[in-house]
Amino acid sequence: MALQGSLADIALPDVIQLVSVSGKTGVFTLSGDGADGKIFIKDGQITDAVAGKLGGEYAVYEMAGWHKGQFIFTAGIESERVTINKSNTSLMMEAARRLDEWRVLQRKIASMDLVPYFLPREQGQDQITLSPQEWAIVTKIDGQLSIAKLEDATGLPAFDVCKVLYGLVTSGLIALRSTEEKPVQAVAVAPSQRSLLALAENVRKLADESVGLSGSIAVEKQYRIARAEIEAGGAMNSVSSLVDRLARAISLLEGGDKAGEFLRKVTPLLS
């Protein structure tokens, strides 16, 4: 008989702990909060998970926060891949930490349906410095997309998106409105030199992953050109040009498929 029940009656971490102790192999199938997911266990250890667009440990963290829905454990089913190498204890501790942080985030972000928009900035205010992840989110804010749609647009976990937005709200860079409120015209935010340098560095790392040691010299050369342009006052086009040059170099060194893979990875940071 399959182990099954309601997430409202028993939390997922408690069920996983029970199965772990028994050393079972199988898959948890969950449906809750308008989404579905699976957690695969082998000999009591979580090996793989998927929830919507999320995979691996981030899918586990997502599902650990579901408080509504159903779960069923089907024994004997294994995943063909291993995406999780952390112990169950480490996963559940991190999931608990994130749930605690979620409660803090919800003080300012009460719903994923809220729409972020930029607040006007007075001339002469300090330049804005953003990390690559913050930049990927900021470039999608247009005063129209809800937080849930930003999550889809960036491909980032909801937790990461909300954590960045919480910081932006706290710093006074953005505000949140309900979908019923009148849309506010988005205010363009020019990235600081530091943000552009961080973005170029992130692009360089993705290129290095595509070419390996054999092409690292070519990647470094193009990166240094872009860095010099940015330090001389270059804007976002310096990073865009870097991406174009690196894509051509990767295509010559590793082939078109590798270049395409590089562009797919880097595009969310630029669009």
Side-chain angles (χ1 to χ4, degrees), residues 145-180:
L145 292 178
S146 67
I147 298 173
K149 290 182 178 178
L150 277 177
E151 178 191 357
D152 292 336
T154 60
L156 294 170
F159 177 84
D160 292 345
V161 173
C162 289
K163 189 172 182 179
V164 168
L165 293 178
Y166 180 91
L168 297 176
V169 170
T170 302
S171 66
L173 179 60
I174 68 169
L176 303 171
R177 67 172 179 85
S178 68
T179 53
E180 290 77 22

Side-chain angles (χ1 to χ4, degrees), residues 102 105-114 147 162 176:
W102 257 122
L105 298 180
Q106 287 173 340
R107 295 173 187 171
K108 294 185 181 295
I109 304 175
S111 168
M112 294 292 286
D113 292 328
L114 292 174
I147 298 173
C162 289
L176 303 171

Side-chain angles (χ1 to χ4, degrees), residues 3-235:
L3 174 64
Q4 58 186 323
S6 170
L7 293 172
D9 297 329
I10 180 169
L12 179 62
D14 295 332
V15 183
I16 290 177
Q17 179 65 23
L18 177 64
V19 174
S20 299
V21 171
S22 66
K24 290 183 178 294
T25 295
V27 58
F28 277 103
T29 302
L30 299 94
S31 60
D33 288 354
D36 298 319
K38 293 181 182 294
I39 298 178
F40 293 88
I41 294 180
K42 182 176 182 180
D43 299 329
Q45 175 62 45
I46 297 174
T47 59
D48 186 25
V50 60
K53 294 182 179 180
L54 299 178
E57 62 185 88
Y58 294 104
V60 175
Y61 303 148
E62 175 74 13
M63 289 181 278
W66 292 358
H67 302 298
K68 298 179 181 178
Q70 304 295 317
F71 69 85
I72 181 170
F73 179 76
T74 306
I77 299 178
E78 296 184 35
S79 174
E80 296 179 352
R81 61 181 188 174
V82 175
T83 61
I84 299 174
N85 294 304
K86 288 185 177 180
S87 68
N88 291 357
T89 300
S90 296
L91 287 170
M92 293 303 104
M93 288 180 64
E94 175 62 15
R97 185 195 69 78
R98 285 175 172 246
L99 287 174
D100 287 341
E101 193 165 351
W102 257 122
R103 296 185 184 98
V104 175
L105 298 180
Q106 287 173 340
R107 295 173 187 171
K108 294 185 181 295
I109 304 175
S111 168
M112 294 292 286
D113 292 328
L114 292 174
V115 178
Y117 62 93
F118 290 113
L119 293 172
R121 290 175 58 81
E122 296 180 5
Q123 189 173 7
Q125 281 187 284
D126 292 339
Q127 284 188 312
I128 301 166
T129 300
L130 302 173
S131 69
Q133 186 180 71
E134 290 170 333
W135 175 251
I137 294 171
V138 163
T139 55
K140 297 292 191 300
I141 296 175
D142 61 0
Q144 304 292 328
L145 292 178
S146 67
I147 298 173
K149 290 182 178 178
L150 277 177
E151 178 191 357
D152 292 336
T154 60
L156 294 170
F159 177 84
D160 292 345
V161 173
C162 289
K163 189 172 182 179
V164 168
L165 293 178
Y166 180 91
L168 297 176
V169 170
T170 302
S171 66
L173 179 60
I174 68 169
L176 303 171
R177 67 172 179 85
S178 68
T179 53
E180 290 77 22
E181 293 179 53
K182 184 179 179 180
V184 179
Q185 185 176 2
V187 179
V189 179
S192 68
Q193 184 181 91
R194 183 176 177 182
S195 296
L196 290 172
L197 289 172
L199 187 58
E201 171 66 16
N202 208 42
V203 170
R204 182 188 68 80
K205 290 179 180 178
L206 290 175
D208 278 336
E209 292 175 3
S210 298
V211 299
L213 292 175
S214 61
S216 60
I217 294 177
V219 170
E220 182 66 20
K221 178 181 178 181
Q222 299 304 327
Y223 166 71
R224 288 182 179 277
I225 292 173
R227 184 180 181 90
E229 290 176 352
I230 294 170
E231 290 176 341

